Amino acid sequence: MPERPGGRSTAGIKDVARVAGVSVGTVSNVLNQPHRVSEPTRRHVQQVIARLGYVRSEYARQLRAGRSRMLGLLVLDMGNPFFVDVARGVERAARDAGLGVMVCNSGQDPAEEGEYLSLFAEQRVRGALITPADPSGSTLRDFRRHGIPYVVVDRVAGDEEGCSVAVDDVSGGALAVRHLVAGGHRSLAFVSGPPHLRQVQDRREGARKALAEAGLPDTLLRELPTGRLDVAAGRDAGARLLGLSPRPTAVFCANDLLALGVLQTLYAAGVRVPEDLSIVGYDDIEFASAATVPLTSVRRPALTLGTIAAELLLQETGERAAAHRHQHVVLRPELVVRGSSARRPGAG
């Protein structure tokens, strides 16, 4: 038998057949079509497999079948609980279909995105679910050439090359700012994020839309851009927010991690939330309700987003793939009001 690293031998299917005294075809049937083998023979072969420690090569099986049992999932930031919930939805649907999921994290970096998409192509995944970081779309165009089906997640696809599932972030941004305007706030800040991300652009557009609906100029919304969508970037934005003059009475953050970072900075500086400054986040991650001051946030159905995306990909790669038609699903966000936002003192 061939050697494993470290000098231990590894059994192959021929070794199992020789020790069991059966053909290679019988061993194969025990592994793949056990109903075709009598119970005594099946039990005997399984005992030999266990004794020899034989592990079949899934990669070799996939090569023979011409189909992978693995989906690829590429998200912007696995440090964000929102994408953890998206991955849970994908994994649940994949598991029900007997498939696995290779989860990768681009870190909001287009170069990292390109490398992981190349890895998906090398591994010949059955299909891919992708939250794009590259604003030019070039990495996705390169990936298309491999002929691997894909679904764009958390962004509406602008073409008919694949399905997409997203949340209406323009509506979500509008929900956040309408809430603040209704509370009498007329001096607002928007803690955004990497300007190339479509999600950030859409939330900004929604915020400005809400101001226009109220007959207010978009100059009332002062933007504090950040290089990342994490708590550390939020703390930095909070420090810049404290330096603004006049200081805004409310802030809308492009995600909850930024909002939690802003909240930490304000708390350390003795600024009361919501008495001195209201905060609205985005995503409604689990930590939002558990913050020192429970966070008002725009909820996005992350688990549902991942589940629907995976189901669309499974339809496109399943037995009825020929009947599949690309779909672009847009889910609605909702505002969850908690203790971090309140009416501005003295507002009518």
Side-chain angles (χ1 to χ4, degrees):
M1 289 186 286
E3 294 288 316
R4 289 180 185 170
R8 292 177 295 167
S9 62
T10 178
I13 192 169
K14 292 181 180 179
D15 299 307
V16 173
R18 176 177 52 79
V19 173
V22 298
S23 69
V24 170
T26 297
V27 178
S28 178
N29 282 336
V30 169
L31 294 170
N32 300 301
Q33 302 181 79
H35 62 280
R36 300 185 62 178
V37 184
S38 67
E39 184 177 347
T41 300
R42 183 169 67 245
R43 188 183 307 116
H44 171 61
V45 171
Q46 289 170 340
Q47 290 171 347
V48 172
I49 287 172
R51 187 166 76 248
L52 296 181
Y54 167 71
V55 178
R56 64 175 172 176
S57 170
E58 178 63 18
Y59 181 66
R61 192 194 69 80
Q62 290 176 13
L63 285 178
R64 290 192 298 271
R67 292 177 64 78
S68 169
R69 295 181 60 248
M70 190 67 62
L71 303 180
L73 171 63
L74 179 61
V75 299
L76 292 178
D77 182 10
M78 281 304 291
N80 185 340
F82 171 80
F83 287 111
V84 174
D85 285 343
V86 170
R88 285 175 53 219
V90 171
E91 190 274 338
R92 180 181 299 173
R95 185 182 62 233
D96 289 345
L99 304 178
V101 182
M102 179 193 305
V103 182
C104 298
N105 174 30
S106 72
Q108 306 162 36
D109 184 341
E112 289 285 324
E113 175 183 292
E115 291 180 10
Y116 279 123
L117 291 181
S118 294
L119 176 64
F120 288 171
E122 290 171 8
Q123 295 296 316
R124 298 304 300 174
V125 296
R126 175 175 298 214
L129 302 113
I130 306 160
T131 302
D134 180 6
S136 72
S138 63
T139 55
L140 198 54
R141 285 194 296 271
D142 289 342
F143 185 68
R144 288 189 191 118
R145 295 184 301 180
H146 298 287
I148 299 173
Y150 66 87
V151 173
V152 173
V153 182
D154 198 29
R155 201 181 79 184
V156 177
D159 54 51
E160 296 302 318
E161 300 272 353
C163 294
S164 66
V165 185
V167 177
D168 187 344
D169 282 331
V170 175
S171 292
L175 282 175
V177 172
R178 283 194 199 111
H179 169 67
L180 295 172
V181 168
H185 296 279
R186 296 295 182 270
S187 178
L188 311 174
F190 175 46
V191 176
S192 55
H196 66 271
L197 292 180
R198 182 58 182 268
Q199 294 88 336
V200 171
Q201 298 168 11
D202 286 350
R203 291 165 206 178
R204 180 193 302 111
E205 180 184 341
R208 290 174 173 169
K209 178 181 177 182
L211 291 175
E213 289 173 352
L216 300 171
D218 60 15
T219 53
L220 294 182
L221 187 71
R222 285 179 281 179
E223 184 168 351
L224 298 171
T226 64
R228 298 186 61 80
L229 292 164
D230 55 25
V231 173
R235 286 195 292 264
D236 174 71
R240 286 181 281 149
L241 178 66
L242 291 173
L244 294 179
S245 181
R247 185 182 297 169
T249 64
V251 57
F252 166 42
C253 299
N255 78 356
D256 285 342
L257 296 182
L258 290 173
L260 292 171
V262 170
L263 182 61
Q264 289 177 9
T265 297
L266 296 181
Y267 181 81
V271 176
R272 298 173 303 165
V273 175
E275 293 86 353
D276 300 328
L277 196 148
S278 288
I279 301 177
V280 176
Y282 205 98
D283 288 339
D284 194 33
I285 62 175
E286 183 177 354
F287 299 138
S289 61
T292 305
V293 180
L295 189 64
T296 295
S297 185
V298 176
R299 175 178 293 164
R300 297 198 295 160
L303 196 68
T304 301
L305 188 76
T307 301
I308 293 175
E311 288 174 346
L312 288 174
L313 188 59
L314 292 172
Q315 290 172 18
E316 187 172 357
T317 60
E319 295 179 356
R320 302 182 62 184
H324 176 79
R325 296 294 180 269
H326 293 321
Q327 301 177 49
H328 303 290
V329 179
V330 180
L331 305 176
R332 303 292 297 181
E334 62 176 308
L335 182 70
V336 180
V337 179
R338 299 192 182 96
S340 70
S341 61
R343 290 190 64 80
R344 182 187 174 201

